[in-house]
Amino acid sequence: MPAQNVSADYIAKYRRAYELMRSLPQDDPRSLATQANIHCSFCNGAYKQAGNDSVLLQVHFSWVFLPWHRWYLYFHERILASLLGDPTFSLVFWNWDDQRDGGNVTRAMYLPNDSSLYDAKRNQANLPPTLVKLVPTITGNDSEIINQNLNPMYQDVVNNDNAELFMGGAYVTGTDLSNSTVLSAPLGGSIENGIHNAMHFWTGDPTQPLIQDMGTFTTASRDPIFYAHHSNVDRLWDKWRYGLPGGPRADHSEDDFLNTEFYFYDENASLVKVNVRDALDSSKLGYSYPDVAADELWINYSPSPVTSGSAVQAALASGVPVVGPYPQNGTISLGSGLTAIVAAPGNQSKSSDEREVLVIQRLTVTRDIFVAVLVFVNLPSAHSSTVTSSAEYVGTYNIIAAPGKTLTANVKMEIGDNLQRIGIQNETEVVLTLAVKGTQPITIDGLLIHYE
Ligand code: C2O
């Protein structure tokens, strides 16, 4: 059930479940402390990859992100249910994407400091009635925030409609997140990099160096709200897969994906092995999500452009550089932002299974503090606080802090729909702006717009 629709009886049970989980000894795998440490270990490189001792295991930034977290929630929920002695108990989902019916605030049940659902390390400026912000730079009054939230939902979930763009790309033994060539740099999907990471940032406490608890993976799952947040990410995967116009979409189907295995502790504190193949159908895991009426707001959100005509001539005249694919321009430092003219396919023909995709090649950052890169097209004046409600907004790459860890990724975003809406889909060059929120240095090795 959505977190805003549950009864007082449910809330009492939900609180009781976390009381029981918190009262287990720390070394019990079912305790909240160990549950949080499981996330920390898989998410911060505590384990080495099997058969490849020099490369660390990481369940973010790739196609394992959604299935790993689904299994993590599955066992977490079974542990809560078994502690309660009620096999029918299920987690709620915090549908922060809902901009109409009460999903887009923190629910009251998480707030009392004597509740097991409480966590002290949250952003005190974001208590209700403050609305969630699905891009970290959003400002404005409530009605301005709503459209700025609906567009990232539309871009990240509706527009990025193939498995690689939405879920993330291949991650197999040997994939190294910190040391990749341009071509092999791993990539996370739009749901992870965009709205999911934005909600980690929004919830965590900005007075903590890493925005703990939710703002960094080491501590995120110490906050019970994490599991409600991730239930919604899991729901959006189902929604993306089965519930959007145009019919069912396809998950990855490669054996490397399907045969990926993970270990978890179950409700009996036994270690069990599971695989990705068995995670793909949530009904086989015994749960499903109700239809949520407010989904229609972002599904049908139709961003209007704020520009008309190509911005290329004016940009050229004011000295905006042309940036091409790797290795043409070497390594470019983004500073607080970069505006560039980038070649586009124009009216070259595209087959129906191809997407028009922007590739930010080999974006490299050391993850000492949270940083975000917002992407706009045809809007050379864009900066990190430009509104995100228009067709010029393409997406955001949010990077969660993990001190000392370097990340190298090819960031991909579907851009064809944006060009179409602005009316510049036939142009062979477009103006792109990458606006940086935060001070952590970021470099890229090229910009490419092509069909793939
Ligand atoms: Cu493993 Cu939302 O993070």
Side-chain angles (χ1 to χ4, degrees):
M1 292 296 292
Q4 74 268 26
N5 290 359
V6 289
S7 65
D9 283 357
Y10 175 85
I11 294 170
K13 205 171 222 190
Y14 185 30
R15 279 177 73 148
R16 179 81 190 127
Y18 277 95
E19 262 161 48
L20 293 164
M21 187 174 256
R22 284 182 187 274
S23 66
L24 292 169
Q26 285 234 357
D27 62 354
D28 187 314
R30 302 166 305 162
S31 68
L32 187 61
T34 303
Q35 290 287 299
N37 286 344
I38 288 170
H39 186 256
C40 173
S41 320
F42 277 97
C43 302
N44 274 331
Y47 298 125
K48 291 169 175 160
Q49 289 184 9
N52 202 331
D53 246 28
S54 59
V55 186
L56 299 174
L57 182 66
Q58 168 57 263
V59 298
H60 295 103
F61 318 113
S62 79
W63 66 15
V64 298
F65 170 74
L66 288 171
W68 186 88
H69 287 80
R70 176 169 283 179
W71 275 123
Y72 179 54
L73 287 178
Y74 172 80
F75 288 110
H76 185 77
E77 185 179 80
R78 285 178 69 122
I79 292 167
L80 293 168
S82 113
L83 292 171
L84 285 169
D86 175 0
T88 69
F89 175 79
S90 61
L91 285 164
V92 291
F93 56 90
W94 175 20
N95 56 328
W96 29 256
D97 55 291
D98 162 10
Q99 305 302 309
R100 185 183 65 199
D101 301 334
N104 56 348
V105 289
T106 304
R107 300 316 304 173
M109 62 190 165
Y110 297 104
L111 303 178
N113 60 11
D114 62 346
S115 164
S116 62
L117 304 175
Y118 175 75
D119 189 86
K121 292 183 187 151
R122 293 190 188 134
N123 189 336
Q124 298 303 306
N126 287 345
L127 301 180
T130 305
L131 300 187
V132 305
K133 297 182 180 70
L134 298 182
V135 179
T137 52
I138 292 175
T139 56
N141 62 35
D142 284 4
S143 71
E144 290 163 342
I145 291 172
I146 284 171
N147 280 344
Q148 294 193 78
N149 281 339
L150 290 173
N151 196 27
M153 284 304 301
Y154 171 75
Q155 302 294 338
D156 291 356
V157 184
V158 181
N159 231 346
N160 282 285
D161 64 349
N162 71 22
E164 188 186 47
L165 294 171
F166 175 76
M167 305 177 74
Y171 184 71
V172 299
T173 305
T175 305
D176 187 347
L177 288 158
S178 58
N179 187 17
S180 310
T181 66
V182 172
L183 294 178
S184 73
L187 58 133
S190 55
I191 186 168
E192 178 187 354
N193 298 331
I195 50 182
H196 155 266
N197 282 350
M199 283 307 299
H200 274 279
F201 174 79
W202 186 84
T203 310
D205 179 354
T207 69
Q208 299 291 321
L210 303 175
I211 319 174
Q212 293 97 326
D213 281 331
M214 277 283 278
T216 189
F217 298 139
T218 316
T219 53
S221 352
R222 293 180 189 174
D223 187 340
I225 212 167
F226 172 97
Y227 306 92
H229 165 53
H230 264 276
S231 295
N232 196 47
V233 172
D234 192 67
R235 182 185 78 89
L236 291 172
W237 178 16
D238 254 26
K239 187 77 191 171
W240 176 88
R241 176 87 173 81
Y242 300 106
L244 295 180
R249 295 172 173 187
D251 288 324
H252 287 286
S253 56
E254 294 89 328
D255 283 340
D256 275 326
F257 176 68
L258 300 172
N259 296 334
T260 301
E261 292 172 337
F262 310 116
Y263 287 91
F264 284 99
Y265 289 102
D266 70 6
E267 67 276 24
N268 304 312
S270 317
L271 197 62
V272 292
K273 183 164 80 176
V274 294
N275 63 32
V276 166
R277 188 186 309 273
D278 291 338
L280 298 182
D281 182 348
S282 54
S283 71
K284 290 189 180 147
L285 302 180
Y287 70 93
S288 63
Y289 295 102
D291 281 335
V292 178
D295 286 353
E296 72 194 19
L297 265 62
W298 53 262
I299 293 172
N300 299 322
Y301 185 74
S302 179
S304 310
V306 293
T307 59
S308 63
S310 167
V312 169
Q313 283 317 317
L316 269 178
S318 65
V320 168
V322 175
V323 172
Y326 171 86
Q328 221 163 276
N329 301 82
T331 295
I332 304 164
S333 140
L334 291 189
S336 62
L338 170 76
T339 294
I341 295 167
V342 180
N347 53 15
Q348 282 168 40
S349 63
K350 163 163 89 55
S351 75
S352 63
D353 61 342
E354 285 182 318
R355 307 287 181 275
E356 186 159 5
V357 176
L358 162 68
V359 192
I360 304 170
Q361 294 176 306
R362 204 169 197 273
L363 184 149
T364 300
V365 60
T366 300
R367 299 162 57 203
D368 287 337
I369 52 168
F370 177 88
V371 61
V373 181
L374 284 76
V375 180
F376 294 91
V377 64
N378 208 44
L379 201 59
S381 63
H383 48 86
S384 65
S385 37
T386 297
V387 294
T388 60
S389 46
S390 80
E392 286 78 6
Y393 170 79
V394 182
T396 300
Y397 187 61
N398 294 297
I399 301 147
I400 297 289
K405 304 240 183 253
T406 299
L407 173 69
T408 300
N410 285 314
V411 179
K412 293 190 183 181
M413 296 175 181
E414 210 282 344
I415 197 172
D417 182 76
N418 306 77
L419 302 181
Q420 198 93 36
R421 287 173 183 274
I422 303 166
I424 54 172
Q425 70 276 12
N426 293 330
E427 302 291 328
T428 54
E429 285 181 321
V430 299
V431 180
L432 270 187
T433 300
L434 310 187
V436 177
K437 172 195 164 56
T439 52
Q440 195 61 21
I442 301 176
T443 60
I444 62 169
D445 280 354
L447 291 171
L448 169 67
I449 298 173
H450 70 166
Y451 298 152
E452 60 172 56

